[in-house]
Amino acid sequence: MLASTAIITVAGLYLGGLFLLAWVTDQRVAQGAGRFVSSSVSYTLSLAIYCTSWTFFGAVGSAVRSGLEYLTIYIGPTLALMAWWYLLRKLVRITKAQRITSIADFVSARYGKSASLSALITVIAVVVVTPYIALQLKAVAAAYNAVSDHAAPGLGQIGEHNLPGDTGFWVAICMGAFVILFGTRNLGADERHPGVVAAIALESMVKLFSLGAVAFFSLYELNDGVADLFHHALQSPSLQRLYVFREGFETRWIVTTFLSAAAMVCLPRQFQVAVVENSDERHLATASWVFPLYLLLVSLFVIPIAIAGVTRLPEGMNPDLYVLTLPLVYNRDYLVLLAFIGGLSAGTSMVIMASIALSIMISNHLVTPLLLRLPHFREPGTGDFSRTLLLVRRGSIIAILTLGYVYYRTITSSDPLASVGLISFAGVVQFLPALLGGIFWRGATKSGATTGLLIGFAIWTYTLLLPSFALPGTVFFDLLRDGPGGLAFLKPDALFGLSGWDSLVHGLFWSLSFNIAAYIGVSIFSRQSPLEQLQSAIFVGIFERRAANVDSALQRSAHAEDLLRLTQSILGHERAHRIFRDYARRQGRKDDLPIPNPALIAYVERQLASSVGAASARTLVSRIVMGETITVEAVISILDETQQAIRYSRELERKSTELEETAEKLRRANEQLRRLDMMKDDFLSRVSHELRTPMTSIRSFAEILVNTPEVETAQTRRFLQIIQQESERLTRLLDEILDLNRVENDQINWPVVIADAGHIARQAMAAMAGLAKSHGAQLVDALDGTPLPVRVEADRLQQVFINLISNAIRHNDSATPIVWVEGGIAGDGKTVEVRVRDNGPGIDAEERDLLFEKFSRSTTERRKRYGGSGLGLAISRSIVQRLGGRLVLLEGAERGATFAVRLPSA
């Protein structure tokens, strides 16, 4: 035996370490760290909450009593995880979209957010899970009594002494305090509990390690390896069941495998960790193979412990405690402590998450609807629900553990751990028809789900729960022996004369059969409400539609101030303010109060549902909204299967419209290409003309000079001047073409310096003064004198300004042509802008898109008359882009054109 003080100290330090881990994890996650907690590995380990004290202690006992049947408890979850793509993924997607808080909230939300249905599921869950919590108390208390020097009478048995001396009582007290500290720090029930998940993940590793350590001890210290272990097993007749299937095992195997598979989603705690706590659907893919691997290791560890317990321990030892008694008998105190901590982890993790899940269900679906009827909470925005709900959840935890303790003390003293667990599994399986039917069958109704649950739960209570109360001398014992009123065909273990079956198979068969029959039959002959129809469409088609469909279907109105007050009373001022501020930002509003519309009302309802459940949130919101109706168009659009053809037609119409738009874009692009091709031909024609004209003049005058020696000296000089001018004209044209090509291909290495763009613009104006005078134009210096520093090649920038000023002078047909040169620093302080503006005819709209193309040529008579090669603006744009800026034509002027050169300020 170990000293009780040592056990309590080690257990206290371990639980304190768990709480510290949870607290640190919550703090790191709040700061944006804690990456491991949000990983697929952490999520997978949290699923191992499935392995409770029943698994840690009871699996060995089940193997000793029933042989390989214990494997079904691990095969079932493996099969459930293999179907993650079709089942778990859908549950997670719906839960996130609808802000689901529990399995009761899930089912009630599917069937029209029914408050009565959620309350029914909560009551059933509490009744069904109570034996399971009692199982944890029994296992931990029995483990403590087995190893402590203050053990109760009978190794591993429940003591028959007063309440303060009862181990189970103090275990319940410690677990209750631990759960309250762990699970009721946050109000948002749908918010993930990263600290709790981290603690459960650690406990899962501790369970596996401690069970593996005892298995290793059984293999290599008590035996000489695997071969020696099984050699001893073959010599023990009582162990033949470990490698021989007993007669008629098939039915029992099928039932227990089905129960354990269904428990992965129907147990409130499993729904909490697998669905509500899931942060990423992709984690399900990892869990689908890592968690079965975890279960495989656990199942392998059970066999050596079971064999060593039967062959090495005295007869009469409790097989459920072989994990502890093996190292205890052989004086391995360190291993005893490790095994006790492993069993404590198994029980604590289950009680933590089960209590959290049940307390959320009790507060949201039983207590909150009652509180909403009180005058203090009747008006929207009155009272402080946040504090009240936290107190209710803490009180619920105390009530849950009290019920578990009462069941533990009065009922389960002689039941094996596995039998208690299977009874609970059979109870939660009653949720399965309503759950699966709700996400795969659109025609299921609230009436069908309610009727099926009531009948299935009643038969489960009668055939499986009541027999556990049938102690000699009680009325339940007489009921089990003779049937009600002596009607033998109604006996709980032989209902309707079906006798000779295993009690578990018998009870599950009748309860689930009547449940499914009532669910389907009543659903077929009952009608859905409009809200049920909407919810069924969303749940069944969650991968095809978004929950936002409801926002437009429910036509409701409310004042934003009323919605804010209501949200503050439930979620607190800080969280409510953040919710409304973020929604207002999404609407593009600068204040913190969004525009009230049906979408906002639906959003607020979902936020409230995260704390009080879908049914209670609907009740609260319905008190302040007006005109709650569902449009016929929305119902038809979402629900009517015959509208599929219409949706397909609309999709085709949309695609046809897109094709028409694409065709129009192609037509415009083709037209632009045609115009560019025409301009290219025109450009080549003009270039040919421009080249031919000077070359013809040069050739003609040269021939005159060669063939007419008697030409006078003055005449000869004039002919040579003409030849020189035409040669320069030809050179300029060729230089422009070559210059544009070099600029576009980045073949020029310009020396860039910091210069004043205003000064360069004035130099360009001075160079154009003669041209302005010859055309009768006025050049106006509108630069404000502010330095305009830019990093440029000054000659190139001056070339751009000269080109722009020259164009403004030549193409200005005003009676009094005026050209303004303006400039300054843009509003952002990072851009220098110099503008050349005139009062001429402006640029036609159809020419603007092609203005800077190198083949562009104006269609106006004046521009044709003064048209050059058409390369000036193209060269200018390329130069400005090479300098890191932009050359643009500004719009908005009634007359004239304004070109702007924009360069980064230096």
Side-chain angles (χ1 to χ4, degrees), residues 457-480:
F457 175 64
I459 297 178
W460 171 83
T461 303
Y462 183 72
T463 58
L464 289 174
L465 186 62
L466 288 184
S468 66
F469 290 82
L471 301 176
T474 64
V475 65
F476 300 115
F477 183 80
D478 297 335
L479 179 68
L480 182 64

Side-chain angles (χ1 to χ4, degrees), residues 628-642:
E628 179 167 317
T629 59
I630 300 179
T631 63
V632 176
E633 293 80 3
V635 174
I636 292 176
S637 174
I638 299 176
L639 307 170
D640 195 347
E641 292 293 343
T642 62

